[in-house]
Amino acid sequence: MYQKTIISYDTFLSYNRLSPSHKAFVSNLNTTSISKTVFEALTHEKWRQAMNEEMEALRKNDTWGLVRLPIGKKVVGCKWVYTIKYHSDGSIERYKARLVAKEYTKNYGVDSLETFAPVAKMNTIRVLLSLTINSDWDL
């Protein structure tokens, strides 16, 4: 097992020029820890809850299904990625866990013939259209 080294932001950051709300935010960053492994995350209730929410969202959206692996093909693995979402005052909004595919293990044309592109949220599209119209940009 490895020894986890925690480095305080105080080592690199001066609070002198920060507003009170930003001081609270940065101080809160110092007190929270993001899990690096699934084994570490499973020891904390909030991370387990975030992982359960992610799995429920994947089930609800019918994101995946169990299929037989074709002969000669390799399984594309997955891993958990953890993050903490904060309110602007530095308080924790929620713990977030995402199950992501290890796409870098695939060989195009060998393991799959499909590629996946990121999807933009509709709110992002609306903001960009609004900026285009209000700034008189060409579209």
Side-chain angles (χ1 to χ4, degrees):
M1 193 93 179
Y2 65 92
Q3 179 66 29
K4 187 175 180 182
T5 304
I6 299 174
I7 299 174
S8 173
Y9 288 109
D10 298 343
T11 308
F12 306 102
L13 179 68
S14 168
Y15 293 109
N16 295 340
R17 302 180 104 179
L18 296 177
S19 68
S21 62
H22 284 106
K23 283 181 189 177
F25 180 77
V26 173
S27 295
N28 197 29
L29 289 176
N30 251 351
T31 62
T32 57
S33 170
I34 297 176
S35 293
K36 300 276 189 259
T37 67
V38 70
F39 303 109
E40 185 181 333
L42 288 171
T43 64
H44 300 285
E45 178 59 33
K46 295 197 185 250
W47 290 121
R48 280 197 312 267
Q49 182 180 355
M51 292 164 70
N52 286 333
E53 288 171 6
E54 172 72 356
M55 290 303 292
E56 185 56 36
L58 291 173
R59 272 189 224 100
K60 180 181 159 191
N61 294 326
D62 200 25
T63 304
W64 54 272
L66 292 177
V67 297
R68 286 198 181 275
L69 185 64
I71 296 171
K73 302 298 179 184
K74 293 188 294 185
V75 172
V76 174
C78 59
K79 71 178 210 164
W80 285 99
V81 177
Y82 306 97
T83 188
I84 299 175
K85 298 293 183 176
Y86 296 94
H87 291 288
S88 59
D89 65 356
S91 61
I92 294 175
E93 178 183 344
R94 67 187 172 115
Y95 288 75
K96 189 172 182 178
R98 288 283 178 250
L99 186 62
V100 297
K102 294 180 181 178
E103 294 284 327
Y104 57 85
T105 62
K106 290 192 333 185
N107 294 317
Y108 183 77
V110 175
D111 297 320
S112 73
L113 296 175
E114 298 179 46
T115 58
F116 297 92
V119 177
K121 291 184 179 180
M122 192 49 104
N123 286 344
T124 305
I125 301 297
R126 287 187 187 113
V127 168
L128 289 173
L129 288 173
S130 176
L131 279 171
T132 301
I133 291 167
N134 291 324
S135 300
D136 198 28
W137 295 340
D138 291 334
L139 180 62

